[in-house]
Amino acid sequence: PGPEERNMEFLLNSGGAVKTSEYFSVSEAVYYLLSNPERLSLMKKSMSIIAHPDAARRLCNFTINLIENDVVK
């Protein structure tokens, strides 16, 4: 639960997520977002700011670069 908890906290604090619980169900969260277009728009904007859709490619290139430059043996 370490990295998952940190990722959740990051997304919540960045405005890119809402957290559900036994008191705030998934269906309530979806209803809340669909009923509040301004909040949904802010969430989308937050995610576009923090998103790295090319993260896997960047990580692979970084790793290949380390191997090619004999940094990793």
Side-chain angles (χ1 to χ4, degrees), residues 5 11 13 31 40-41 45 49 55 57 61 65 68 70:
E5 289 290 321
L11 291 173
N13 291 333
Y31 178 80
L40 189 57
S41 178
K45 184 175 182 177
I49 291 170
R57 183 175 0 99
N61 289 339
N65 189 23
E68 289 177 347
D70 290 325

Side-chain angles (χ1 to χ4, degrees), residues 7-20:
N7 289 340
M8 179 187 66
E9 295 263 339
F10 176 77
L11 291 173
L12 288 169
N13 291 333
S14 299
V18 293
K19 184 177 180 183
T20 60

Side-chain angles (χ1 to χ4, degrees), residues 4 8 12 15 18 20 22 30 32-33 37-38 41 47-48 50-53 58 61 67 69-70 72-73:
E4 295 86 356
M8 179 187 66
L12 288 169
V18 293
T20 60
E22 71 179 273
V30 170
Y32 167 74
L33 291 171
E38 298 86 12
S41 178
M47 289 306 295
S48 71
I50 63 174
H52 293 283
R58 290 171 51 194
N61 289 339
I67 293 168
N69 291 308
D70 290 325
V72 177
K73 295 187 182 204

